[in-house]
Amino acid sequence: ATLVPLLARAAPAVRPLIAARSPSRSVAMSAKGKGKKGGDAKDAKDGYGGEASVGKATGGQTSADALTAAALKEAGISVILGSKSFTRQAILKEMGIPYEVAVADIDEKAIGDRTDSPKDLVMAIAVAKADAIVRKMGAELGPDMDGQWPIAEDAMLVTCDQVVVHDGVVREKPESKDEAREFIRGYGVSAPSTVGAIVVTDLETGGRCVALDRSTVTFAPIPEETVEFLVQEGECMNCAGGLMVEHPKMAPLVTELDGAMDSIMGLGKRVVGGLLMEALLDRKLKGLSGGIKKEFIPEDQRVEKS
């Protein structure tokens, strides 16, 4: 995948830590590491197999994933995933990173320009999600917390957004079954690309590490019965562009992949792992607990400062 580092450091006023206040980590959160579709592929037959389909497509936990998970655990840093996407939750769980979920509840359609740069659009939405969740958490702490830090001690927030670009047109989640059919049929004619943004916010300092991730996948012609199966099953309606490359009906049709499967699925493990490690490095530079030295970050996970 193409990693486009856009390291952004927020510079908010950092309030002194108030020993009597415990960190807030409960805004619209679900149980740790649980998704809503944890089915097994053998139970789903030819359909979407939940975590089993995700794991088969991404290849399971890598050594870099394990290193990131271990570094976060050693540092005592908790992770909040600002997404209700089952696939993103399954990928983070596969990396071995415990998490809780917070939902931004924003109108994504009101953000950005769909006719302009896809990378600007996804970054604007991912940042807006982070801002919305931070505001929610701040509101729980009190009205004087608007624009103030820390929101939570020893916690990082991960927010994401993704669109599919096909024949130069930005595609988001299908708005109807007919639109989903049109989208999926087209992927067997010309290759779609995914453009995603990932933002990691340190909820103690407000510091942010961000990056873009782009991948392209080429399919063989997609049979009409496969198109109809996917649309009637309905899971594709929850995915950008209706694209489910990990689906048992679609995975065998992949003929070429430029990038990473997990990137196409909505959360590139190399990218989010690198950003989390970069955020830990940032804490080290600021003299905070939980920091790490740069030499502990794998070469392929490092995000160069711009």
Side-chain angles (χ1 to χ4, degrees):
T2 302
L3 175 61
V4 186
L6 299 170
L7 191 63
R9 306 278 183 202
V14 181
R15 293 180 57 174
L17 294 177
I18 303 174
R21 191 186 75 218
S22 61
S24 171
R25 296 174 183 158
S26 59
V27 179
M29 292 180 185
S30 70
K32 286 186 179 180
K34 291 184 179 179
K36 62 181 179 180
K37 296 177 286 188
D40 193 292
K42 68 181 189 311
D43 296 325
K45 295 183 180 179
D46 291 334
Y48 186 59
E51 289 180 5
S53 291
V54 172
K56 185 175 181 180
T58 61
Q61 186 189 50
T62 66
S63 58
D65 297 340
L67 183 62
T68 301
L72 289 167
K73 182 177 180 180
E74 176 70 20
I77 300 294
S78 62
V79 172
I80 298 170
L81 178 62
S83 174
K84 57 187 177 182
S85 161
F86 165 75
T87 302
R88 289 188 180 118
Q89 293 176 26
I91 289 173
L92 204 60
K93 183 177 180 181
E94 178 183 275
M95 292 177 71
I97 299 175
Y99 64 89
E100 294 179 327
V101 173
V103 181
D105 290 327
I106 60 173
D107 181 6
E108 297 181 22
K109 295 289 187 180
I111 300 171
D113 184 351
R114 271 69 184 163
T115 63
D116 202 359
S117 166
K119 64 181 182 180
D120 291 343
L121 173 63
V122 293
M123 185 58 69
I125 294 175
V127 169
K129 289 176 180 177
D131 290 344
I133 292 169
V134 166
R135 283 194 298 271
K136 279 186 178 182
M137 297 181 76
E140 281 205 342
L141 296 176
D144 63 329
M145 282 301 296
D146 187 21
Q148 303 297 313
W149 304 87
I151 294 298
E153 299 171 24
D154 300 328
M156 292 182 186
L157 170 67
V158 177
T159 52
C160 325
D161 192 62
Q162 184 186 66
V163 295
V164 171
V165 179
H166 186 244
D167 292 339
V169 178
V170 170
R171 291 181 171 179
E172 297 174 274
K173 295 175 184 177
E175 295 186 352
S176 68
K177 289 186 175 182
D178 285 342
E179 187 172 59
R181 290 185 182 96
E182 178 188 352
F183 285 178
I184 297 168
R185 285 191 193 106
Y187 301 148
V189 177
S190 55
S193 296
T194 57
V195 180
I198 302 175
V199 176
V200 172
T201 303
D202 189 320
L203 294 175
E204 188 166 338
T205 68
R208 280 182 177 164
C209 300
V210 309
L212 294 169
D213 195 16
R214 183 184 182 104
S215 293
T216 300
V217 60
T218 303
F219 293 98
I222 300 173
E224 190 61 29
E225 56 267 29
T226 297
V227 174
E228 196 60 29
F229 184 97
L230 293 170
V231 171
Q232 294 304 324
E233 183 187 53
E235 299 296 343
C236 65
M237 304 300 292
N238 300 315
C239 303
L243 180 61
M244 295 189 71
V245 69
E246 75 276 19
H247 196 288
K249 289 285 192 180
M250 292 291 284
L253 300 175
V254 174
T255 61
E256 185 177 348
L257 176 63
D258 180 9
M261 190 68 76
D262 41 77
S263 168
I264 291 174
M265 292 162 61
L267 186 65
K269 296 195 294 181
R270 182 177 67 87
V271 180
V272 70
L275 291 176
L276 286 166
M277 296 291 270
E278 180 72 13
L280 288 174
L281 172 63
D282 191 43
R283 291 179 67 86
K284 177 72 174 180
L285 297 175
K286 291 178 178 177
L288 299 173
S289 64
I292 62 170
K293 296 180 180 179
K294 188 170 184 177
E295 53 263 35
F296 289 105
I297 304 177
E299 289 286 346
D300 67 350
Q301 281 190 317
R302 294 183 183 178
V303 179
E304 297 302 324
K305 297 177 182 179
S306 58

